[in-house]
Amino acid sequence: MSSFPAEKPFSNGSPEVAVRRFGSTRLGAPVDEYTLTNGSGVSTSILTWGGIVRTLIAPDRNGKPADVVLGFDSLEPYEDRHPYFGTITGRFANRIARGTFTLNGERYTLAINNGPNHLHGGIDGFDRTVWKARSESTDDAAKVILSHTSPDGDEGYPGEVQAQVTYTLSNDNSLRIDYEATTSKPTPINLTNHSYFNLAGHDSGDVLEQELMIDAAQIVPVDETQIPTGVLASVAGTPFDFTKFHPIGERIAQVHGGYDHTFVVSGDQPGLRLIAKALDRNSGRSLEVLTTEPGVQLYTGNFLDGSLSGKRGARYHKHAGFCLETQHFPDSVNQPNFPSTILRPGETYRQTTVYRLGVSE
Ligand code: GLA
């Protein structure tokens, strides 16, 4: 029997969690996969390696299921370097200029892994660690709770950080991600999930005709190494204006390299709010994104080149998926005008993001 969840009949009962051994790392650590299934036809599988969302299976308007995230069938390609398919990225999602910052008069040097800069927590970040896991299910949701202790000095960061990430799949077809962290010393923290969505199915080709709306009046402009210049820019009259639905590909040729930018989410009331919607008119599948974060990185899989062999042999070419990585702004530690990303002992970092699937007629 194949364990690929797409072949499981949709449940029409209570949410449930199934766990299986997915593999072992090269150092021999066991990696499990938790499959959460809700009562209304959606399932997702989460790996303890990197907290990866490996599958997300959703029906189209006719009830036909497809797996709408990019990924792999086995552990090996995830343990090799890959473009963060579905991972939890941390301790600090996105870039820190030259991998350095000063905090309380002390200068810290981080791992450099992206040109001259630090990206997504470094060489062995939260995306490349085996998280502890436990699961729960209730009448309206199934969840897996991941936890990880990052030692003082990990990838150059100060403080021992205790992180917890809870994935909850509920009967309203929301995949909710709650992040929490505490620290033993002041330290920057900025967690996100790096899923690549393709609402027509992970193996359906590019996402350029899928439509997107982002409630953002500004973006965070970056220099040639993708570090913020420090000013925010209006989207009005630019290819970054997604305040109304636009096909992702409509204006992408005008953006050097494709979209890989942080959008400044509008609205200053705290708490969870709807910030983006994506729609595939052919299948009818839609995705709403709600978050507590001030920004969202739209990345359109610009570096995918068909060389990776994905699930069931799928080839992921340029723009095969889009990421909506909810987060604080890049390089916030070096940008005094950006919202702070410093967590101090005694405080709890919290971020919540919901990816809500739907169908339209
Ligand atoms: C992020 C970055 C991109 C790229 C991808 C992974 O989204 O902003 O530049 O590094 O991760 O390939």
Side-chain angles (χ1 to χ4, degrees), residues 210-280:
Q210 295 176 28
E211 294 179 31
L212 185 63
M213 195 167 116
I214 305 177
D215 187 12
Q218 292 175 306
I219 59 156
V220 180
V222 289
D223 69 13
E224 62 288 348
T225 71
Q226 290 180 270
I227 295 297
T229 57
V231 294
L232 303 180
S234 166
V235 299
T238 77
F240 297 96
D241 188 346
F242 281 97
T243 52
K244 296 196 185 85
F245 272 118
H246 284 274
I248 291 172
E250 186 186 319
R251 300 158 299 173
I252 198 169
Q254 299 169 44
V255 180
H256 181 68
Y259 295 102
D260 192 1
H261 295 81
T262 305
F263 287 67
V264 179
V265 169
S266 301
D268 43 21
Q269 77 275 46
L272 200 59
R273 67 246 187 261
L274 182 65
I275 58 119
K277 289 186 191 181
L279 178 61
D280 174 39

Coordinates of all heavy atoms in Angstrom, one line a residue, residues 210-280:
Q210 N -2.1 31.9 -12.1 CA -2.9 32.0 -10.8 C -2.9 33.4 -10.3 O -2.0 34.2 -10.6 CB -2.3 31.0 -9.8 CG -2.5 29.5 -10.3 CD -1.9 28.4 -9.5 OE1 -1.7 28.5 -8.3 NE2 -1.5 27.3 -10.2
E211 N -4.0 33.8 -9.7 CA -4.2 35.2 -9.4 C -3.9 35.4 -7.9 O -4.1 34.6 -7.1 CB -5.6 35.6 -9.7 CG -5.8 35.6 -11.2 CD -7.1 36.0 -11.7 OE1 -7.8 36.8 -11.1 OE2 -7.5 35.4 -12.7
L212 N -3.5 36.6 -7.6 CA -3.0 37.0 -6.3 C -3.5 38.4 -5.9 O -3.5 39.3 -6.7 CB -1.5 36.9 -6.2 CG -0.8 37.1 -4.9 CD1 -1.2 36.0 -3.9 CD2 0.7 37.1 -5.1
M213 N -3.9 38.5 -4.7 CA -4.2 39.8 -4.1 C -3.4 39.9 -2.8 O -3.4 38.9 -2.0 CB -5.7 39.8 -3.8 CG -6.2 41.2 -3.6 SD -8.0 41.0 -3.7 CE -8.4 41.5 -2.1
I214 N -2.7 41.0 -2.5 CA -2.0 41.2 -1.3 C -2.4 42.6 -0.7 O -2.3 43.6 -1.5 CB -0.5 41.2 -1.4 CG1 0.0 39.9 -2.1 CG2 0.2 41.3 -0.1 CD1 1.5 39.8 -2.3
D215 N -2.9 42.6 0.5 CA -3.3 43.9 1.1 C -2.1 44.6 1.6 O -1.8 44.7 2.8 CB -4.2 43.6 2.3 CG -4.9 44.8 2.8 OD1 -4.7 45.9 2.2 OD2 -5.5 44.8 3.9
A216 N -1.3 45.2 0.6 CA -0.1 45.9 0.9 C 0.0 47.1 0.0 O 0.0 47.0 -1.2 CB 1.1 45.0 0.7
A217 N 0.2 48.3 0.7 CA 0.4 49.5 -0.1 C 1.9 49.8 -0.4 O 2.2 50.7 -1.1 CB -0.2 50.7 0.7
Q218 N 2.8 49.1 0.3 CA 4.2 49.3 0.2 C 5.0 48.0 0.1 O 4.5 47.0 0.7 CB 4.7 50.1 1.4 CG 4.2 51.5 1.5 CD 4.6 52.1 2.8 OE1 4.4 51.6 3.9 NE2 5.2 53.3 2.7
I219 N 6.2 48.1 -0.4 CA 7.1 47.0 -0.3 C 8.4 47.5 0.3 O 8.6 48.7 0.6 CB 7.5 46.3 -1.7 CG1 8.1 47.4 -2.6 CG2 6.3 45.6 -2.3 CD1 9.0 46.7 -3.7
V220 N 9.3 46.5 0.7 CA 10.6 46.8 1.2 C 11.6 46.7 0.1 O 12.0 45.6 -0.3 CB 10.9 45.8 2.4 CG1 12.3 46.1 3.0 CG2 9.8 45.8 3.5
P221 N 12.0 47.8 -0.5 CA 13.0 47.7 -1.6 C 14.3 47.2 -1.1 O 14.7 47.5 0.0 CB 13.1 49.2 -2.1 CG 11.9 49.9 -1.5 CD 11.6 49.2 -0.2
V222 N 15.0 46.5 -2.0 CA 16.3 45.8 -1.6 C 17.4 46.2 -2.6 O 17.1 46.6 -3.7 CB 16.1 44.3 -1.5 CG1 15.3 43.9 -0.3 CG2 15.5 43.7 -2.8
D223 N 18.6 46.0 -2.2 CA 19.8 46.3 -3.0 C 20.1 45.0 -3.9 O 19.3 44.0 -3.8 CB 21.0 46.8 -2.2 CG 21.6 45.7 -1.3 OD1 21.2 44.5 -1.5 OD2 22.4 46.1 -0.4
E224 N 21.2 45.0 -4.5 CA 21.5 43.9 -5.4 C 21.8 42.6 -4.7 O 21.7 41.5 -5.2 CB 22.6 44.2 -6.4 CG 24.0 44.6 -5.9 CD 24.1 45.9 -5.2 OE1 23.1 46.8 -5.3 OE2 25.1 46.2 -4.5
T225 N 22.1 42.6 -3.3 CA 22.2 41.4 -2.6 C 21.0 41.1 -1.7 O 21.0 40.4 -0.8 CB 23.5 41.4 -1.7 OG1 23.3 42.3 -0.6 CG2 24.7 41.8 -2.4
Q226 N 19.9 41.8 -2.1 CA 18.6 41.6 -1.5 C 18.5 42.0 0.0 O 17.7 41.5 0.8 CB 18.1 40.2 -1.7 CG 17.7 39.9 -3.1 CD 17.2 38.5 -3.4 OE1 18.0 37.6 -3.7 NE2 15.9 38.3 -3.2
I227 N 19.3 43.1 0.3 CA 19.2 43.7 1.6 C 18.4 45.0 1.5 O 18.7 45.8 0.6 CB 20.7 44.0 2.2 CG1 21.4 42.6 2.4 CG2 20.7 44.8 3.4 CD1 20.8 41.7 3.4
P228 N 17.5 45.2 2.5 CA 16.7 46.5 2.4 C 17.6 47.7 2.3 O 18.6 47.8 3.0 CB 15.9 46.4 3.7 CG 15.8 45.0 4.0 CD 17.1 44.4 3.6
T229 N 17.1 48.7 1.6 CA 17.8 50.0 1.5 C 17.4 50.8 2.7 O 18.0 51.8 3.0 CB 17.3 50.7 0.2 OG1 15.9 50.9 0.3 CG2 17.7 50.0 -1.0
G230 N 16.3 50.4 3.4 CA 15.9 51.1 4.6 C 14.7 52.0 4.5 O 14.1 52.4 5.5
V231 N 14.3 52.3 3.2 CA 13.1 53.0 3.0 C 12.0 52.1 2.5 O 12.3 51.0 2.0 CB 13.3 54.2 1.9 CG1 14.3 55.2 2.5 CG2 13.8 53.6 0.6
L232 N 10.8 52.5 2.6 CA 9.7 51.7 2.1 C 9.2 52.4 0.8 O 9.3 53.6 0.7 CB 8.5 51.6 3.1 CG 8.9 51.0 4.5 CD1 7.7 50.9 5.4 CD2 9.6 49.6 4.3
A233 N 8.7 51.6 -0.1 CA 8.2 52.2 -1.4 C 6.8 51.9 -1.7 O 6.4 50.8 -1.4 CB 9.1 51.7 -2.6
S234 N 6.1 52.9 -2.2 CA 4.7 52.6 -2.6 C 4.6 51.7 -3.8 O 5.4 51.7 -4.7 CB 4.0 54.0 -3.0 OG 2.8 53.8 -3.6
V235 N 3.5 50.8 -3.7 CA 3.3 49.9 -4.9 C 2.6 50.6 -6.0 O 2.5 50.0 -7.1 CB 2.6 48.6 -4.4 CG1 3.3 47.9 -3.3 CG2 1.1 49.0 -3.9
A236 N 2.0 51.7 -5.8 CA 1.1 52.4 -6.7 C 1.8 52.5 -8.1 O 2.9 53.0 -8.2 CB 0.6 53.7 -6.3
G237 N 1.1 52.0 -9.1 CA 1.6 52.1 -10.5 C 2.8 51.2 -10.8 O 3.5 51.4 -11.8
T238 N 3.1 50.2 -9.9 CA 4.2 49.3 -10.2 C 3.7 47.9 -10.3 O 2.6 47.6 -9.9 CB 5.2 49.4 -9.0 OG1 4.7 48.6 -7.9 CG2 5.5 50.8 -8.5
P239 N 4.6 47.0 -10.7 CA 4.2 45.6 -10.8 C 4.0 44.9 -9.4 O 3.6 43.8 -9.4 CB 5.3 44.9 -11.6 CG 6.3 45.9 -11.9 CD 5.9 47.2 -11.3
F240 N 4.2 45.7 -8.4 CA 4.0 45.2 -7.0 C 2.7 45.5 -6.5 O 2.3 45.2 -5.3 CB 5.1 45.8 -6.1 CG 6.5 45.3 -6.5 CD1 7.3 46.2 -7.2 CD2 7.0 44.1 -6.1 CE1 8.6 45.8 -7.6 CE2 8.3 43.7 -6.4 CZ 9.1 44.5 -7.2
D241 N 1.9 46.2 -7.3 CA 0.5 46.5 -6.8 C -0.4 45.3 -7.0 O -0.9 45.0 -8.1 CB 0.0 47.7 -7.6 CG -1.3 48.2 -7.0 OD1 -1.9 47.5 -6.1 OD2 -1.8 49.3 -7.3
F242 N -0.6 44.6 -5.9 CA -1.5 43.4 -5.8 C -2.8 43.8 -5.0 O -3.4 42.9 -4.4 CB -0.8 42.2 -5.3 CG 0.0 41.5 -6.3 CD1 1.4 41.7 -6.4 CD2 -0.5 40.6 -7.3 CE1 2.2 41.1 -7.3 CE2 0.3 39.9 -8.2 CZ 1.6 40.2 -8.2
T243 N -3.1 45.1 -4.8 CA -4.2 45.4 -4.0 C -5.5 45.0 -4.6 O -6.5 44.8 -3.9 CB -4.2 46.9 -3.7 OG1 -4.2 47.6 -4.9 CG2 -3.1 47.3 -2.8
K244 N -5.5 44.7 -6.0 CA -6.6 44.0 -6.6 C -6.0 42.7 -7.2 O -4.8 42.6 -7.4 CB -7.2 44.8 -7.7 CG -7.8 46.1 -7.3 CD -8.7 46.6 -8.4 CE -9.3 48.0 -8.0 NZ -8.3 49.1 -8.3
F245 N -6.9 41.7 -7.5 CA -6.4 40.5 -8.1 C -5.6 40.7 -9.4 O -6.1 41.5 -10.3 CB -7.5 39.5 -8.4 CG -7.9 38.6 -7.2 CD1 -9.1 38.7 -6.6 CD2 -6.9 37.7 -6.7 CE1 -9.5 37.8 -5.6 CE2 -7.3 36.8 -5.7 CZ -8.5 36.9 -5.1
H246 N -4.4 40.1 -9.5 CA -3.7 40.1 -10.8 C -3.1 38.7 -11.0 O -2.6 38.1 -10.0 CB -2.5 41.1 -10.7 CG -2.9 42.5 -10.8 ND1 -3.0 43.2 -12.1 CD2 -3.1 43.4 -9.9 CE1 -3.3 44.4 -11.8 NE2 -3.4 44.6 -10.5
P247 N -3.1 38.2 -12.2 CA -2.3 37.0 -12.4 C -0.8 37.2 -12.0 O -0.3 38.3 -12.3 CB -2.4 36.8 -14.0 CG -3.6 37.5 -14.4 CD -3.7 38.7 -13.4
I248 N -0.2 36.2 -11.4 CA 1.1 36.4 -10.9 C 2.1 36.7 -12.0 O 3.0 37.5 -11.9 CB 1.6 35.1 -10.2 CG1 0.8 34.9 -8.9 CG2 3.1 35.1 -9.9 CD1 1.0 33.6 -8.1
G249 N 1.8 36.2 -13.2 CA 2.7 36.4 -14.4 C 2.5 37.6 -15.2 O 3.2 38.0 -16.0
E250 N 1.4 38.3 -14.8 CA 1.0 39.5 -15.7 C 2.1 40.5 -15.9 O 2.4 41.0 -17.0 CB -0.2 40.2 -15.1 CG -0.8 41.3 -15.9 CD -2.0 42.0 -15.2 OE1 -2.8 41.4 -14.5 OE2 -2.0 43.2 -15.3
R251 N 2.8 40.8 -14.8 CA 3.8 41.9 -14.8 C 5.2 41.4 -14.4 O 6.1 42.2 -14.1 CB 3.3 43.1 -14.0 CG 2.0 43.7 -14.4 CD 1.3 44.4 -13.3 NE 1.0 43.5 -12.2 CZ 0.5 43.9 -11.0 NH1 0.2 45.2 -10.9 NH2 0.3 43.1 -10.1
I252 N 5.3 40.1 -14.2 CA 6.5 39.5 -13.6 C 7.8 39.8 -14.4 O 8.9 40.0 -13.8 CB 6.4 38.0 -13.3 CG1 7.4 37.5 -12.3 CG2 6.5 37.2 -14.6 CD1 7.1 36.1 -11.8
A253 N 7.6 40.0 -15.7 CA 8.8 40.3 -16.6 C 9.4 41.6 -16.3 O 10.6 41.9 -16.6 CB 8.4 40.2 -18.1
Q254 N 8.6 42.5 -15.6 CA 9.1 43.8 -15.3 C 9.8 43.8 -14.0 O 10.4 44.9 -13.5 CB 7.9 44.8 -15.1 CG 7.1 45.0 -16.4 CD 5.8 45.7 -16.1 OE1 5.8 46.7 -15.4 NE2 4.7 45.2 -16.6
V255 N 9.9 42.7 -13.3 CA 10.5 42.6 -12.0 C 11.8 41.8 -12.2 O 11.7 40.6 -12.5 CB 9.6 41.9 -10.9 CG1 10.3 41.9 -9.6 CG2 8.3 42.7 -10.8
H256 N 12.9 42.4 -12.1 CA 14.2 41.7 -12.4 C 14.3 40.5 -11.5 O 14.3 40.5 -10.3 CB 15.4 42.7 -12.0 CG 16.7 42.1 -12.3 ND1 17.1 41.8 -13.6 CD2 17.7 41.6 -11.5 CE1 18.3 41.2 -13.5 NE2 18.7 41.1 -12.3
G257 N 14.4 39.3 -12.2 CA 14.6 38.0 -11.5 C 13.2 37.4 -11.1 O 13.2 36.3 -10.7
G258 N 12.2 38.2 -11.1 CA 10.9 37.7 -10.5 C 10.6 38.2 -9.1 O 11.5 38.8 -8.5
Y259 N 9.4 37.9 -8.6 CA 9.1 38.5 -7.3 C 9.9 37.7 -6.2 O 9.9 36.5 -6.2 CB 7.6 38.3 -7.0 CG 6.7 39.1 -7.9 CD1 6.1 38.5 -8.9 CD2 6.6 40.5 -7.7 CE1 5.2 39.3 -9.8 CE2 5.8 41.3 -8.5 CZ 5.1 40.7 -9.5 OH 4.3 41.4 -10.4
D260 N 10.5 38.5 -5.3 CA 11.3 37.9 -4.2 C 11.4 39.1 -3.2 O 12.5 39.6 -2.9 CB 12.6 37.4 -4.6 CG 13.3 36.6 -3.5 OD1 12.7 36.4 -2.4 OD2 14.4 36.1 -3.8
H261 N 10.2 39.6 -2.8 CA 10.2 40.9 -2.0 C 9.2 40.8 -0.8 O 8.2 40.1 -0.9 CB 9.7 42.0 -3.0 CG 10.6 42.3 -4.1 ND1 10.6 41.5 -5.2 CD2 11.5 43.3 -4.3 CE1 11.6 42.0 -6.1 NE2 12.1 43.0 -5.5
T262 N 9.5 41.6 0.2 CA 8.7 41.7 1.3 C 7.6 42.8 1.1 O 8.0 43.9 0.8 CB 9.5 42.0 2.6 OG1 10.5 41.0 2.7 CG2 8.6 42.0 3.8
F263 N 6.4 42.4 1.2 CA 5.3 43.4 1.1 C 4.9 43.8 2.6 O 4.8 43.0 3.5 CB 4.1 42.7 0.5 CG 4.2 42.5 -1.0 CD1 5.2 41.6 -1.5 CD2 3.5 43.2 -1.9 CE1 5.3 41.5 -2.9 CE2 3.6 43.1 -3.3 CZ 4.6 42.2 -3.8
V264 N 4.7 45.1 2.7 CA 4.3 45.7 4.0 C 2.8 45.6 4.2 O 2.1 46.3 3.5 CB 4.8 47.1 4.1 CG1 4.4 47.7 5.5 CG2 6.3 47.2 3.9
V265 N 2.4 44.7 5.0 CA 1.0 44.4 5.1 C 0.2 45.6 5.8 O 0.7 46.2 6.8 CB 0.8 43.1 6.0 CG1 -0.6 42.9 6.4 CG2 1.4 42.0 5.2
S266 N -0.8 46.0 5.1 CA -1.6 47.2 5.6 C -2.3 46.9 6.9 O -2.6 45.8 7.2 CB -2.5 47.6 4.5 OG -1.9 47.9 3.3
G267 N -2.7 48.0 7.5 CA -3.5 47.9 8.8 C -2.6 47.8 9.9 O -1.6 47.0 9.9
D268 N -2.8 48.6 11.0 CA -1.9 48.5 12.1 C -2.6 48.0 13.4 O -2.0 48.0 14.4 CB -1.3 49.9 12.4 CG -2.3 51.0 12.2 OD1 -3.5 50.7 12.4 OD2 -1.9 52.2 12.0
Q269 N -3.8 47.4 13.2 CA -4.4 46.8 14.4 C -3.7 45.5 14.6 O -3.4 44.8 13.7 CB -5.9 46.7 14.4 CG -6.5 45.6 13.5 CD -6.6 46.0 12.0 OE1 -5.7 46.5 11.4 NE2 -7.8 45.6 11.5
P270 N -3.3 45.2 15.9 CA -2.6 44.0 16.2 C -3.6 42.8 16.0 O -4.8 42.9 16.0 CB -2.2 44.1 17.7 CG -3.2 45.1 18.3 CD -3.7 46.0 17.1
G271 N -3.0 41.6 15.9 CA -3.8 40.4 15.8 C -3.8 39.8 14.4 O -3.3 40.4 13.5
L272 N -4.5 38.7 14.3 CA -4.6 38.0 13.1 C -5.5 38.7 12.1 O -6.6 39.1 12.4 CB -5.2 36.6 13.4 CG -5.0 35.5 12.5 CD1 -3.5 35.2 12.3 CD2 -5.7 34.2 13.1
R273 N -5.0 39.0 10.9 CA -5.9 39.6 9.9 C -5.6 39.0 8.5 O -4.5 38.6 8.2 CB -5.9 41.1 9.9 CG -4.5 41.7 9.4 CD -3.8 42.4 10.6 NE -2.6 43.0 10.2 CZ -1.4 42.5 10.3 NH1 -1.3 41.3 10.9 NH2 -0.4 43.2 9.9
L274 N -6.6 39.1 7.6 CA -6.5 38.6 6.3 C -5.6 39.5 5.5 O -5.9 40.7 5.4 CB -7.9 38.6 5.6 CG -8.0 38.0 4.2 CD1 -7.7 36.5 4.2 CD2 -9.4 38.2 3.7
I275 N -4.5 39.0 4.9 CA -3.6 39.8 4.2 C -3.4 39.4 2.7 O -2.9 40.2 2.0 CB -2.2 39.8 4.9 CG1 -1.6 38.4 5.0 CG2 -2.3 40.5 6.3 CD1 -0.3 38.3 4.3
A276 N -3.8 38.2 2.3 CA -3.6 37.8 0.9 C -4.5 36.8 0.5 O -5.0 36.0 1.4 CB -2.1 37.4 0.7
K277 N -4.8 36.7 -0.8 CA -5.7 35.7 -1.3 C -5.1 35.2 -2.6 O -4.6 36.1 -3.4 CB -7.1 36.2 -1.6 CG -7.9 36.5 -0.5 CD -9.3 36.9 -1.0 CE -10.1 37.4 0.1 NZ -11.5 37.8 -0.3
A278 N -5.1 34.0 -2.9 CA -4.7 33.4 -4.2 C -5.8 32.6 -4.8 O -6.6 32.0 -4.0 CB -3.4 32.6 -4.1
L279 N -5.8 32.5 -6.1 CA -7.0 31.9 -6.7 C -6.5 31.2 -8.0 O -5.8 31.9 -8.8 CB -8.0 33.0 -7.0 CG -9.3 32.6 -7.8 CD1 -10.1 31.5 -6.9 CD2 -10.1 33.8 -8.0
D280 N -6.9 30.0 -8.2 CA -6.7 29.3 -9.5 C -8.1 29.2 -10.1 O -8.9 28.3 -9.7 CB -6.0 27.9 -9.3 CG -6.0 27.2 -10.6 OD1 -5.7 27.8 -11.6 OD2 -6.2 25.9 -10.5

